[in-house]
């Protein structure tokens, strides 16, 4: 539980904001020096997502997606814009969203909104999104804020829409990272928070071909 490792909630959030303000607005900056894994990450995410976009009675639509913790738009550019008509981006660091406007190029015209906001304070527009994509950012939310945010995401989904979390998983318990002021949870803790938010897991997958020295990364789809 984050309550066991986060002593001061205000400090937890403000320290993270300060950390990201000093990070270069580049793909390498977004990935903590692991920019070279970006293509492996995107290709796996595309395969995972496309199983829900295929034809069928419960097919997830492709009208609009939301990129949470979007940074400069790495996922928006390479995963979401090629699959969805429009995308919205939300990130706490204004400089990243400013950089996104040039990084995304011509296709960036299909980004409707750039929301500068921490996810603990962000509410997706109700009944708006086919896919809400949340990658490498849940560690910046306390358990209660993550559960509440996922509840708000649930109301933000269109019929047959899905919420996707892709993130690092600890081997056991909850581990605090004082450098960027984030936590890493184990699979059981994340599953419990998903259930607490009233969401049902549809699929879960471990990312392959990432460097051995980093945390295991898992992708979850839910609605």
């Amino acid at each position: 539980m984050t309550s066991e490792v986060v002593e001061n909630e205000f400090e937890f959030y403000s320290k993270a904001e300060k950390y990201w303000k000093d990070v270069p607005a580049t793909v390498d900056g977004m990935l903590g020096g692991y920019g070279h894994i970006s293509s492996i990450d995107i290709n796996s995410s595309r395969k995972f997502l496309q199983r829900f976009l295929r034809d069928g009675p419960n097919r997830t639509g492709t009208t609009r997606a939301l990129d949470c913790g979007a940074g400069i738009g790495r996922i928006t550019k390479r995963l979401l814009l090629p699959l969805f008509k429009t995308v919205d981006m939300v990130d706490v660091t204004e400089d990243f969203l400013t950089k996104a406007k040039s990084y995304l190029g011509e296709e960036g015209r299909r980004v409707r909104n750039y929301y500068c906001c921490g996810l603990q304070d962000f509410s997706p527009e109700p009944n708006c999104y086919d896919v809400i994509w949340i990658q490498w950012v849940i560690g910046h939310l306390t358990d209660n804020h993550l559960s509440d945010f996922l509840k708000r995401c649930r109301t933000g989904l269109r019929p047959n829409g899905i919420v996707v979390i892709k993130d690092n998983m600890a081997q056991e318990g909850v581990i605090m990272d004082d450098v960027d002021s984030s936590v890493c949870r184990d699979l059981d803790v994340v599953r419990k928070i998903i259930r607490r938010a009233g969401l049902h897991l549809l699929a879960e997958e471990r990312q392959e071909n990432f460097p051995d020295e980093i945390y295991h990364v898992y992708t979850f789809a839910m609605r």
Side-chain angles (χ1 to χ4, degrees):
M1 302 290 287
T2 51
S3 56
E4 292 165 17
V5 294
V6 176
E7 291 172 16
N8 182 316
E9 199 174 272
F10 175 79
E11 203 175 273
F12 175 68
Y13 286 111
S14 58
K15 197 174 165 188
E17 277 193 51
K18 188 172 181 302
Y19 169 85
W20 286 106
K21 278 197 171 99
D22 293 332
V23 169
T26 62
V27 170
D28 212 40
M30 300 302 97
L31 294 176
Y34 282 88
H36 59 283
I37 69 169
S38 185
S39 289
I40 299 168
D41 168 58
I42 294 290
N43 290 338
S44 297
S45 294
R46 189 182 299 111
K47 280 183 193 161
F48 182 89
L49 188 50
Q50 279 177 326
R51 72 175 84 167
F52 297 97
L53 307 181
R54 292 192 191 112
D55 289 337
N58 298 315
R59 186 177 80 88
T60 297
T62 55
T63 302
R64 188 171 295 153
L66 174 66
D67 185 357
C68 299
I72 63 168
R74 180 185 72 92
I75 290 162
T76 290
K77 183 183 178 92
R78 297 195 52 201
L79 176 69
L80 300 177
L81 281 173
L83 294 172
F84 295 88
K85 289 192 180 78
T86 61
V87 177
D88 288 348
M89 294 169 60
V90 56
D91 196 274
V92 76
T93 307
E94 197 162 356
D95 286 353
F96 293 165
L97 295 175
T98 301
K99 172 69 176 179
K101 288 166 188 173
S102 59
Y103 172 72
L104 294 170
E106 277 295 293
E107 292 299 298
R109 288 178 304 173
R110 294 190 290 114
V111 174
R112 292 184 329 144
N113 296 297
Y114 296 86
Y115 297 110
C116 187
C117 188
L119 297 184
Q120 70 274 18
D121 299 316
F122 183 73
S123 294
E125 195 181 321
N127 193 36
C128 183
Y129 298 105
D130 297 297
V131 169
I132 297 177
W133 193 274
I134 308 165
Q135 183 161 346
W136 281 322
V137 68
I138 64 168
H140 285 301
L141 296 174
T142 63
D143 290 350
N144 287 340
H145 281 157
L146 176 54
S147 175
D148 289 346
F149 175 61
L150 290 175
K151 285 175 190 171
R152 297 194 297 275
C153 285
R154 202 176 74 205
T155 66
L157 292 179
R158 301 178 73 205
N160 297 321
I162 57 169
V163 177
V164 178
I165 288 175
K166 186 169 187 178
D167 221 302
N168 301 333
M169 298 294 138
Q171 290 287 74
E172 190 179 350
V174 180
I175 299 165
M176 182 77 188
D177 184 336
D178 284 320
V179 176
D180 68 354
S181 191
S182 70
V183 296
C184 186
R185 303 168 173 93
D186 71 25
L187 280 165
D188 282 345
V189 173
V190 173
R191 289 188 197 114
K192 276 179 194 157
I193 293 169
I194 288 167
R195 284 198 299 272
R196 199 169 111 199
L199 288 157
H200 300 282
L201 267 178
L202 305 172
E204 180 184 308
E205 182 176 282
R206 183 177 160 190
Q207 172 71 50
E208 295 178 347
N209 302 318
F210 269 8
D212 292 338
E213 71 271 15
I214 66 174
Y215 283 115
H216 292 168
V217 172
Y218 277 79
T219 312
F220 307 87
M222 62 208 91
R223 67 164 63 105

